[in-house]
Amino acid sequence: MDTSVICPRFEAAISILSQRWTGLIIYQLLSGPQRFSQLTEVIGISGRLLSERLKNLEAQGLVSRTVYPETPVRIEYELTEKGRSLKPVMDEIQSWSQEWIEAPVQPN
Amino acid sequence: MDTSVICPRFEAAISILSQRWTGLIIYQLLSGPQRFSQLTEVIGISGRLLSERLKNLEAQGLVSRTVYPETPVRIEYELTEKGRSLKPVMDEIQSWSQEWIEAPVQPN
DNA sequence: AAAATATGTTACATAAAGTAACTAACTAAA
DNA sequence: TTTAGTTAGTTACTTTATGTAACATATTTT
């Protein structure tokens, strides 16, 4: 007897964003293509989870992976069009946070 | 040597939204005050977690809890101003999902 | 007193995330 | 030609979060 149900597209969208780290990864990639090690450092995520998340994001068509066979090898992760189209969402979260989140607390 | 760090306010905001269920709870409450049992049914979350999430949201000032001592007792959860101010975020996620999420798949 | 209703809570099983050490492929230096 | 350095991961293991189902509390109706 569930007459009212949440829109399945919205639910799918929020299930992407509500997975830990994916929002930050997308936000960070909005500033341009980046390498694995840079993402781990800036975001503060472990290699294990970053690897897992990037695979998922690639599978969902939000991120692309490019190998540059230099030495040492360089691999860059970049948002696809679908990924970049999340910018307005991130912008809204950003501006909400500016208005409603308190004094930037000291990170440990 | 982490020169570039993600904005701590943004990080705080996304840590709210990236917790499982909170996005859906806020989205659902945007349509008006609702009771515990209604939220469990519409969202498909267990009582145990809904209880936990509502407590967190209340502690963060996003949701308020009102007891109506009728019979049987009625308790309503409602967004605060801070909670309602997330509407633009939800609207952006909604419109992104309409454009980029595929055919609404059959829920089991 | 028993059953019904609403709002939770407790106890326990399963899944996801965190941590740290390790691997693969390559190069440059000793 | 071993040794060490670099990047991009993976494996094994511990800790935390989530899911499930039965139970608790308060109140009213039968």
Side-chain angles (χ1 to χ4, degrees), chain A residues 35 37 51 55 65 73 75 77:
Chain A
R35 307 175 69 170
S37 56
S51 174
K55 273 182 197 158
R65 179 182 188 272
V73 66
I75 294 171
Y77 293 92

Side-chain angles (χ1 to χ4, degrees), chain A:
Chain A
M1 205 177 277
D2 45 11
T3 36
S4 61
V5 175
I6 290 178
C7 164
R9 291 190 196 214
F10 180 84
E11 216 168 330
I14 210 131
S15 86
I16 293 172
L17 295 172
S18 76
Q19 190 173 33
R20 190 156 192 201
W21 301 115
T22 52
L24 283 180
I25 293 169
I26 291 166
Y27 174 80
Q28 182 59 25
L29 287 177
L30 279 171
S31 64
Q34 272 159 85
R35 307 175 69 170
F36 192 91
S37 56
Q38 189 179 0
L39 288 170
T40 60
E41 280 161 29
V42 174
I43 297 176
I45 185 180
S46 69
R48 181 191 158 304
L49 282 183
L50 180 58
S51 174
E52 193 176 302
R53 289 298 185 272
L54 288 171
K55 273 182 197 158
N56 289 347
L57 289 170
E58 216 187 326
Q60 287 169 314
L62 290 158
V63 165
S64 68
R65 179 182 188 272
T66 311
V67 180
Y68 298 92
E70 300 168 356
T71 176
V73 66
R74 179 165 58 101
I75 294 171
E76 287 201 335
Y77 293 92
E78 188 177 6
L79 292 179
T80 61
E81 193 198 345
K82 183 175 179 182
R84 282 191 303 274
S85 68
L86 280 167
K87 185 167 192 305
V89 172
M90 296 298 161
D91 287 348
E92 281 295 348
I93 296 173
Q94 176 84 281
S95 79
W96 182 83
S97 75
Q98 298 308 308
E99 189 171 358
W100 291 96
I101 300 291
E102 303 255 315
V105 183
Q106 243 50 273
N108 314 344

Side-chain angles (χ1 to χ4, degrees), chain B residues 20-21 46 48-49 52-53 71:
Chain B
R20 190 160 191 198
W21 301 114
S46 71
R48 181 192 157 303
L49 280 184
E52 193 175 303
R53 290 296 187 272
T71 175

